[in-house]
Amino acid sequence: SYELTQPPSVSVSPGQTASITCSGDKLRNKNICWYQQKPGQSPLLVIYEDNKRPSGIPDRFSGSTSGDTATLTISGTQAMDEADYYCQTWDSSTSVVFGGGARLTVL
Amino acid sequence: QVQLMQSGAEVKPPGSSVRVSCEASGGTFSNFSFTWVRQAPGHGLEWMGRIIPNVDITTYSQKFRGRVTVTADQSTRTAYMELRRLKSEDSAFYYCARETVATFIDYWGQGTLVTVSS
């Protein structure tokens, strides 16, 4: 089965840039989404089709893919960005696949 | 604005079944798929399956195939997820969400907590 691998945790200082990676086989050929989930809340779509932002998502959130690694970048990280972040794609049978999630801590 | 309203929390004994509903308001219903994701406390997101209501096509995760059924009633704009032969490990929040397959999952319900306990 297809797998996506994320680091369990990422730390960043306020105002700095946070990068959260997601790796998977031939990921460059797949559409990638990123979701933010804060405690007690449902996931929120922040990036889709690798690098597009839904309406209402601040432009400090961006996405990119290089080779088999996708990266969610948060520029000028704020305390409110502290959350769990999940990458997601679809496998060859259109089943949804999530990464294990990365906890972003803003120190 | 699309809203997905899920049914309330459930406590079920091991071996029983649970059915969670998800009523959609706003936007179109049939042209999208409705996907189900669960999350055990302190764990990550796990996809279970989906239904495309206007063609009644379902796809299931291999992990849950045979134990889960996803259905939809277009007249009431409601999707359902039934999980059978419940085990303690099935205790989790269950989310429905609207999915455009291979593009994004853009709207999520509030989640339904299912607790499996004797």
Side-chain angles (χ1 to χ4, degrees):
Chain A
S1 61
Y2 193 81
E3 294 185 359
L4 294 173
T5 301
Q6 299 182 245
S9 61
V10 174
S11 298
V12 64
S13 299
Q16 299 304 302
T17 296
S19 296
I20 302 172
T21 59
C22 172
S23 61
D25 186 44
K26 297 182 175 63
L27 200 54
R28 62 189 174 280
N29 297 330
K30 299 180 180 295
N31 277 344
I32 306 299
C33 295
W34 290 91
Y35 302 88
Q36 176 194 70
Q37 188 181 33
K38 296 181 179 180
Q41 296 185 16
S42 302
L44 173 70
L45 178 69
V46 294
I47 293 289
Y48 68 98
E49 291 183 340
D50 298 2
N51 56 16
K52 297 178 181 175
R53 278 178 291 106
S55 173
I57 300 302
D59 61 6
R60 64 178 181 273
F61 288 86
S62 63
S64 63
T65 302
S66 177
D68 291 343
T69 300
T71 303
L72 174 69
T73 301
I74 309 172
S75 305
T77 308
Q78 301 181 9
M80 68 171 64
D81 300 328
E82 190 163 279
D84 294 329
Y85 290 86
Y86 295 89
C87 60
Q88 177 260 314
T89 191
W90 290 262
D91 69 12
S92 56
S93 64
T94 75
S95 292
V96 172
V97 179
F98 288 101
R103 176 151 298 174
L104 177 67
T105 302
V106 183
L107 300 165
Chain B
Q1 179 74 337
V2 174
Q3 288 192 317
L4 302 176
M5 185 60 64
Q6 299 184 221
S7 49
E10 303 260 15
V11 179
K12 293 289 186 179
S16 67
S17 299
V18 68
R19 190 192 198 203
V20 180
S21 66
C22 171
E23 182 178 0
S25 61
T28 59
F29 180 77
S30 300
N31 293 347
F32 296 91
S33 74
F34 286 86
T35 212
W36 289 87
V37 175
R38 79 174 187 182
Q39 185 174 38
H43 288 75
L45 303 173
E46 184 173 36
W47 184 71
M48 301 179 71
R50 74 160 72 85
I51 186 166
I52 306 175
N54 65 347
V55 291
D56 205 25
I57 290 176
T58 54
T59 307
Y60 296 112
S61 163
Q62 193 159 359
K63 175 175 178 176
F64 297 100
R65 203 165 294 151
R67 208 160 66 94
V68 68
T69 301
V70 175
T71 56
D73 182 339
Q74 294 187 70
S75 66
T76 60
R77 299 168 61 93
T78 303
Y80 300 90
M81 184 282 300
E82 181 184 45
L83 186 62
R84 300 177 291 278
R85 302 191 298 276
L86 291 169
K87 302 170 273 192
S88 58
E89 309 91 271
D90 294 319
S91 295
F93 278 93
Y94 289 77
Y95 294 98
C96 71
R98 192 180 81 165
E99 176 191 4
T100 302
V101 179
T103 306
F104 49 55
I105 301 172
D106 56 351
Y107 291 98
W108 295 70
Q110 82 275 23
T112 296
L113 178 61
V114 174
T115 303
V116 182
S117 173
S118 53

